[in-house]
Amino acid sequence: MQIGFITDGKLVHFQKRRDIRPAHLYCFAFGSIGEVNYEKEVCGESAELEEVALFSRNFNCTVIAGCYTDTKGIKRKSAVVAEKGKILGISDMTTGIDGDIYKCGSGIRVYDTSVGKIGVLVGQDIYFPELFKSLAQCGSEQIVCLYESVGDSLEQILLRANAFCYGVPICMCAHGYVQIADVSGKIAYATPLSPSYFNAEPFKEYHLIETRLRGFHKPQEIF
């Protein structure tokens, strides 16, 4: 699967470029589309979601774009997912820390696309390993994290650890930077360039894990 990452600039400007390489999946960082106000979208006063859908139709691909959403004044960090002209859904950041102005939204989701099952995490959801575990257990073949701005090495450590523990490659698309961790826990790709492209090979390997636990005691049946 060829993945294209656009970490700077607007989606509407990118699609006019003549050097666009074909990709099965395009990931756009936060700021690639304007704020999505649901009331205005429904009334036809804005068309941010339509732009994402049209891009996916024109380039016959799947698109994941980071954005800020507004639901009657409630602000959230979100990711719009579209494929071949259709909006598949919108994933919100599910965690709010210490009174963040961006509120938590709906639960995490795995999108069944033409390029496989893709789990999506938004913003500071990357700090919660149980979310990666849930996406992996629900069949994700690739996890995409939309993040605002990479600071130090913490985000990279989290990507590597969760990719290794849960056996799913993880991509992070942030403003000005892309990094991808493979299932061995190593960084398979990282670049500040935009656009950039990476060929992600499917990886499905299962292992038998055994452990001993106390509890789960059931009385022996007497015949």
Side-chain angles (χ1 to χ4, degrees):
M1 173 175 61
Q2 187 80 355
I3 309 177
F5 297 96
I6 297 84
T7 60
D8 193 16
K10 297 290 186 180
L11 180 148
V12 292
H13 298 152
F14 175 75
Q15 65 182 347
K16 297 177 182 178
R17 295 176 55 158
R18 296 183 179 181
D19 60 345
I20 298 179
R21 289 168 53 181
H24 302 101
L25 169 65
Y26 281 98
C27 296
F28 289 86
F30 280 97
S32 58
I33 64 175
E35 182 179 88
V36 176
N37 183 299
Y38 289 122
E39 288 184 285
K40 291 183 178 179
E41 291 284 319
V42 171
C43 295
E45 297 175 16
S46 66
E48 303 297 339
L49 297 180
E50 183 181 4
E51 289 292 345
V52 179
L54 287 174
F55 183 96
S56 70
R57 185 193 67 182
N58 294 339
F59 292 90
N60 193 35
C61 64
T62 304
V63 177
I64 303 175
C67 65
Y68 302 99
T69 55
D70 184 330
T71 308
K72 294 186 176 180
I74 299 175
K75 307 286 186 177
R76 295 187 175 95
K77 296 177 184 178
S78 308
V80 182
V81 183
E83 181 174 75
K84 300 178 181 178
K86 180 182 178 181
I87 298 292
L88 300 183
I90 299 176
S91 291
D92 299 323
M93 183 175 70
T94 65
T95 55
I97 301 176
D98 294 336
D100 195 331
I101 63 171
Y102 293 101
K103 305 305 179 182
C104 55
S106 60
I108 57 174
R109 179 175 171 183
V110 177
Y111 293 87
D112 195 355
T113 75
S114 60
V115 292
K117 294 184 178 180
I118 302 174
V120 176
L121 291 182
V122 181
Q124 59 203 26
D125 281 354
I126 68 165
Y127 300 134
F128 298 87
E130 63 270 21
L131 299 180
F132 288 96
K133 182 178 181 179
S134 295
L135 288 174
Q137 290 179 332
C138 290
S140 295
E141 298 166 327
Q142 188 85 39
I143 296 176
V144 174
C145 302
L146 276 297
Y147 199 71
E148 284 184 294
S149 181
V150 176
D152 51 28
S153 60
L154 175 61
E155 292 84 7
Q156 186 177 110
I157 292 171
L158 291 169
L159 291 192
R160 294 174 62 185
N162 285 297
F164 173 76
C165 289
Y166 303 121
V168 181
I170 303 173
C171 306
M172 173 182 279
C173 182
H175 182 70
Y177 202 71
V178 171
Q179 50 190 354
I180 301 174
D182 63 24
V183 296
S184 69
K186 298 179 180 179
I187 291 297
Y189 183 72
T191 181
L193 299 177
S194 180
S196 63
Y197 299 86
F198 180 79
N199 187 32
E201 297 293 338
F203 186 90
K204 297 180 182 180
E205 185 174 296
Y206 293 84
H207 298 271
L208 176 64
I209 308 297
E210 297 180 295
T211 187
R212 295 176 64 187
L213 294 173
R214 297 183 65 178
F216 299 96
H217 174 71
K218 294 178 62 177
Q220 293 184 351
E221 296 183 3
I222 299 176
F223 297 94

